[in-house]
Amino acid sequence: MITSVVILMPMPFAVRKKVFTFLSTSPIVAKLAYGLKIAFIFIAVLFVDALQRVLRVTAEADLAKQSGMGHNVQTESSNAAKKFYAQRNLYLTTFTLFLSLLHTRIYYFLLDHVHSLDEYAKLKIELTEQKKNSTNAFDKDSVVADLRKQLELKDRDLPSVAFVLILMSSQAKKDAAIAQFQAVTGASHSDSVKFLKKHNYRVDVAVDQFFSSSNGESVTSQNSQGSSIEKRLNETFDKYKDSHDEIRVDGTIKLAQDLQVELEDVVMLALACELGSTSVGEWPKHGWIAGMKSLHCDSVSALKAQIPSLRQKLSTDPDYFRRVYTHTFAFGLEKGQRSLPLESAVLFWSLLLPIGLSGGALSHLANESTSGAPEGGWRKEHTQWWFDYLQEKNVKGVSKDTWSMFLDFVRTVDDKFEKHDNEGSWPSQIDDFAAHAKKKAAVER
């Protein structure tokens, strides 16, 4: 009772803060609270016992009335006394439990309130100090302009950072697989790389194959440099390769610098397709040689001259765009996975879709049954709708079927999402998004 009065009585904030701080931090109060918890448990047991006693006494009284014994004055008095004491105990234990719960909740509510007021006071002081420090140092308009510039720089650099993180994550997993393979087999680094690459970096399969093929003899490398062109191509490749006899993360960054393109430039996806890059940050030698020959290039300077042509082709040629788009899914997959992580898929879509929409590679394919005014197709803002929808649905990965069919969906759906064929063989994610986008488009009209 005394504690309740202390908690509930009005007092200044400073005094209340000290009281609640003492109650919440004092070890003596903590021991008393622990003892009270044990007491409340006993009271709860007494409550259950009192309830059972009331039910038992009531049942005995009813049984006595039915058997005719209830007319005995002494029996009726005894039953009434038992019932009275049982009900009294029930009321007392119930009231005690209720007051204890009420007291506890009020205490914690007030304690949270004191803490909130304390935090509010601290924030108010910090805000006042910040205003004093900033009012005389900077002009408001210049600060806003400076912050906008910084935000634009961060937005511009974000795709590059994300791309580098994907490169480094993929490389780290490959290095871990190589180390594990070497620890089990005792093979050399180059042999480990060749076995793991052959089996898609699945360590268990590669180890089995190592011990079953000629008792783990080293794989012999095939160096065919018969022509002068191949010799120059090999020399160019060696300029960027690392100790794994393939171009990895560092070589990829250096190659992009020599080509004078950013890592997040969409033309890098076209180069990955042309030069047979099997995954992010990995350019095998055989793919490099074959791709450079196909592009009629024997040096990086010649490859650099092809960049504008590849960019134009990716923007205007629907078939070439589909080829690069399809290759990008396998290119972005991590070893052993079947679905593309959402953050990687969003990054690749944000690179590919704008260039396809700008040049005609993703031009709208109108429905043959459509008549009258030409219908609109996929627009830039629809891409953001798609990203927002996937994030709202907490999608973790994009399957190959969804990735492939999404390209057809972008080219065939109308700008109002009214003519999407729900009966077609579309993935459920695309069907659900079409219904979502149709409602959103109707609201915005």
Side-chain angles (χ1 to χ4, degrees):
M1 181 64 71
I2 296 174
T3 306
S4 300
V5 171
V6 171
I7 291 175
L8 296 176
M9 68 182 297
M11 61 182 71
F13 173 74
V15 177
R16 185 183 295 275
K17 179 182 176 182
K18 291 181 180 179
V19 170
F20 277 87
T21 301
F22 171 76
L23 292 176
S24 61
T25 59
S26 174
I28 298 176
V29 175
K31 291 180 180 179
L32 292 175
Y34 182 76
L36 288 175
K37 289 180 182 178
I38 297 176
F40 292 153
I41 294 174
F42 282 113
I43 295 173
V45 173
L46 292 174
F47 167 77
V48 175
D49 180 69
L51 180 62
Q52 292 178 344
R53 186 178 295 275
V54 168
L55 295 176
R56 186 170 63 252
V57 169
T58 303
E60 290 176 355
D62 293 340
L63 181 63
K65 288 182 180 180
Q66 292 177 2
S67 61
M69 297 174 61
H71 297 291
N72 188 328
V73 176
Q74 185 177 359
T75 301
E76 289 182 355
S77 300
S78 177
N79 290 335
K82 289 180 181 180
K83 189 173 183 180
F84 168 77
Y85 289 123
Q87 290 177 342
R88 181 200 63 182
N89 293 337
L90 178 64
Y91 296 152
L92 288 175
T93 54
T94 303
F95 186 68
T96 303
L97 285 176
F98 174 75
L99 284 181
S100 64
L101 292 175
L102 182 63
H103 175 273
T104 302
R105 295 311 303 160
I106 291 175
Y107 168 72
Y108 283 113
F109 281 144
L110 291 177
L111 183 61
D112 290 340
H113 179 64
V114 170
H115 289 165
S116 299
L117 290 177
D118 191 29
E119 291 295 326
Y120 172 75
K122 291 180 180 178
L123 291 174
K124 195 172 182 181
I125 294 173
E126 291 178 0
L127 183 60
T128 303
E129 292 178 353
Q130 290 178 359
K131 287 183 177 180
K132 289 180 179 178
N133 294 333
S134 61
T135 301
N136 299 325
F138 299 101
D139 180 70
K140 182 178 179 180
D141 295 335
S142 64
V143 172
V144 172
D146 187 46
L147 290 175
R148 286 179 177 174
K149 289 181 181 179
Q150 294 180 14
L151 184 59
E152 290 175 358
L153 290 174
K154 289 183 178 180
D155 290 341
R156 186 187 66 185
D157 294 340
L158 184 59
S160 178
V161 173
F163 203 86
V164 171
L165 288 176
I166 293 173
L167 285 172
M168 297 183 69
S169 175
S170 176
Q171 183 62 46
K173 292 180 179 178
K174 292 176 186 176
D175 291 340
I178 293 171
Q180 185 179 356
F181 184 90
Q182 286 184 293
V184 175
T185 63
S188 65
H189 190 278
S190 59
D191 288 349
S192 301
V193 171
K194 290 174 182 177
F195 270 101
L196 287 169
K197 284 179 64 177
K198 183 178 180 181
H199 299 286
N200 201 21
Y201 281 85
R202 294 178 60 188
V203 178
D204 53 344
V205 178
V207 169
D208 292 340
Q209 182 64 26
F210 177 85
F211 286 113
S212 63
S213 63
S214 302
N215 296 322
E217 293 180 357
S218 296
V219 179
T220 59
S221 61
Q222 299 178 353
N223 298 320
S224 55
Q225 300 181 0
S227 66
S228 59
I229 293 178
E230 287 195 358
K231 184 177 180 180
R232 289 195 296 271
L233 291 177
N234 278 284
E235 291 174 351
T236 304
F237 181 84
D238 292 343
K239 179 181 177 183
Y240 300 101
K241 75 173 186 178
D242 61 5
S243 57
H244 301 77
D245 199 30
E246 65 179 5
I247 299 175
R248 292 290 185 91
V249 177
D250 293 339
T252 301
I253 295 174
K254 185 177 179 183
L255 175 63
Q257 291 173 349
D258 291 346
L259 293 174
Q260 295 183 353
V261 296
E262 299 291 338
L263 279 174
E264 71 276 13
D265 194 321
V266 69
V267 80
M268 290 295 289
L269 297 179
L271 286 176
C273 178
E274 293 288 352
L275 302 181
S277 177
T278 55
S279 63
V280 177
E282 182 178 326
W283 307 73
K285 189 172 185 177
H286 62 86
W288 173 276
I289 300 296
M292 292 289 279
K293 285 182 178 180
S294 176
L295 293 173
H296 304 288
C297 298
D298 60 355
S299 64
V300 173
S301 58
L303 183 61
K304 180 180 177 181
Q306 290 285 345
I307 295 297
S309 176
L310 292 175
R311 193 188 304 277
Q312 179 69 16
K313 190 176 181 182
L314 185 62
S315 176
T316 59
D317 189 337
D319 294 333
Y320 184 70
F321 183 92
R322 180 178 291 276
R323 177 188 164 198
V324 174
Y325 180 87
T326 303
H327 176 269
T328 299
F329 180 83
F331 170 76
L333 281 180
E334 296 182 3
K335 300 300 181 184
Q337 291 187 346
R338 295 185 177 180
S339 61
L340 194 62
L342 181 62
E343 57 270 19
S344 298
V346 169
L347 173 63
F348 292 137
W349 273 324
S350 64
L351 295 176
L352 288 165
L353 295 181
I355 193 171
L357 291 171
S358 65
L362 290 178
S363 58
H364 180 58
L365 300 176
N367 194 324
E368 295 180 356
S369 61
T370 303
S371 59
E375 64 182 23
W378 188 272
R379 298 197 303 268
K380 181 179 178 180
E381 58 266 27
H382 297 157
T383 302
Q384 189 59 48
W385 291 6
W386 171 244
F387 294 163
D388 294 341
Y389 174 79
L390 294 177
Q391 292 173 351
E392 288 173 4
K393 296 300 180 181
N394 199 26
V395 175
K396 300 298 183 183
V398 177
S399 66
K400 184 177 181 180
D401 186 36
T402 300
W403 177 269
S404 301
M405 296 295 288
F406 181 71
L407 180 59
D408 297 321
F409 175 71
V410 168
R411 296 203 65 189
T412 56
V413 73
D414 62 291
D415 58 350
K416 299 178 182 177
F417 296 87
E418 294 177 342
K419 299 177 182 178
H420 173 67
D421 183 12
N422 291 320
E423 302 299 326
S425 56
W426 299 99
S428 59
Q429 280 183 347
I430 293 180
D431 282 333
D432 295 341
F433 169 72
H436 168 79
K438 181 179 178 180
K439 295 179 182 178
K440 189 175 181 67
V443 170
E444 293 193 357
R445 289 200 303 272

